[in-house]
Amino acid sequence: MDELRMCDLSHNVFAGDLPYDVSGCRELRRFDASHNCITGGLPSTFAKLKQLTSLNLSHNQMDGPFPVSTLTELHALSELHLGHNALSGYLPHDFTPLSRLTELGVANNQLSGPLPKGLSVLEGLTELELQNNKLTGDVPIELKKLKNLSRIDLTGNRQLERFTLAELRVAMAKRLPNCIRKI
């Protein structure tokens, strides 16, 4: 399996923890095990998958803290989908190691704490799905720096400050083409 570049195990009934030993998959670029019954957390050994560009573990039963230390080692990662699980804890404050992210989907978890200002370093981000968590505080106005952002969903986080969210909506609306704004 040294040459394996894509592994799609989605839409099965796989249950239990993810495999701990991934040392034979160093060339893996895409890993999709979404829509299964996977439990536990993301093994720290996944940090060895330095070529990984897409990780989709959404719609499982994963729990435990958000795997910050493992994910921040995946510098090539451009798509991260961990939504519809039971992950808890905080999002990382520093997203610099994940600067290639274009899609970040962690909706429908148990994530708490403030939205990090560090999200603003994700200049290529096009999709940000954080809905239905337990996020609190102000929506960082720094998010308006994300010029490529075409989809953002923060709904269902009752403790987010609505005033700054409104400011963010105005900032994003200004980037819409005139023909769309008039609709």
Side-chain angles (χ1 to χ4, degrees):
M1 293 217 297
D2 290 341
E3 299 299 317
L4 183 67
R5 294 184 191 266
M6 182 179 135
C7 181
D8 189 343
L9 305 171
S10 64
H11 299 279
N12 285 289
V13 287
F14 293 125
D17 294 345
L18 287 167
Y20 185 77
D21 185 12
V22 293
S23 58
C25 302
R26 297 204 186 268
E27 295 300 315
L28 191 63
R29 304 264 194 297
R30 301 179 68 81
F31 184 76
D32 187 344
S34 62
H35 298 271
N36 280 292
C37 299
I38 296 170
T39 56
L42 184 66
S44 60
T45 54
F46 269 61
K48 295 178 183 178
L49 301 175
K50 301 295 184 188
Q51 303 299 318
L52 197 65
T53 60
S54 178
L55 178 62
N56 189 345
L57 297 170
S58 64
H59 295 87
N60 277 293
Q61 299 167 11
M62 297 178 69
D63 58 8
F66 188 78
V68 174
S69 59
T70 302
L71 292 173
T72 54
E73 293 296 317
L74 300 175
H75 303 288
L77 202 61
S78 62
E79 299 172 5
L80 176 61
H81 297 278
L82 298 175
H84 299 271
N85 280 293
L87 297 173
S88 59
Y90 300 97
L91 291 169
H93 294 291
D94 183 12
F95 277 86
T96 305
L98 297 171
S99 61
R100 293 186 179 174
L101 275 182
T102 58
E103 298 176 13
L104 176 58
V106 293
N108 297 292
N109 276 292
Q110 306 288 321
L111 299 174
S112 58
L115 271 177
K117 293 178 182 178
L119 283 167
S120 64
V121 302
L122 303 177
E123 294 176 359
L125 198 66
T126 59
E127 294 182 21
L128 179 59
E129 297 178 346
L130 299 171
Q131 69 269 24
N132 300 317
N133 279 291
K134 298 176 180 177
L135 300 172
T136 60
D138 292 338
V139 175
I141 200 65
E142 288 84 359
L143 292 184
K144 71 179 182 180
K145 295 177 184 175
L146 301 175
K147 304 292 184 201
N148 295 311
L149 196 60
S150 60
R151 180 173 172 7
I152 182 171
D153 194 340
L154 303 173
T155 59
N157 290 289
R158 293 189 177 133
Q159 299 297 316
L160 284 178
E161 290 296 322
R162 295 182 193 278
F163 179 71
T164 52
L165 186 54
E167 285 181 345
L168 182 62
R169 283 188 187 127
V170 167
M172 292 185 71
K174 288 179 181 176
R175 292 200 314 255
L176 293 174
N178 287 332
C179 60
I180 295 174
R181 266 192 290 198
K182 292 179 183 177
I183 295 175

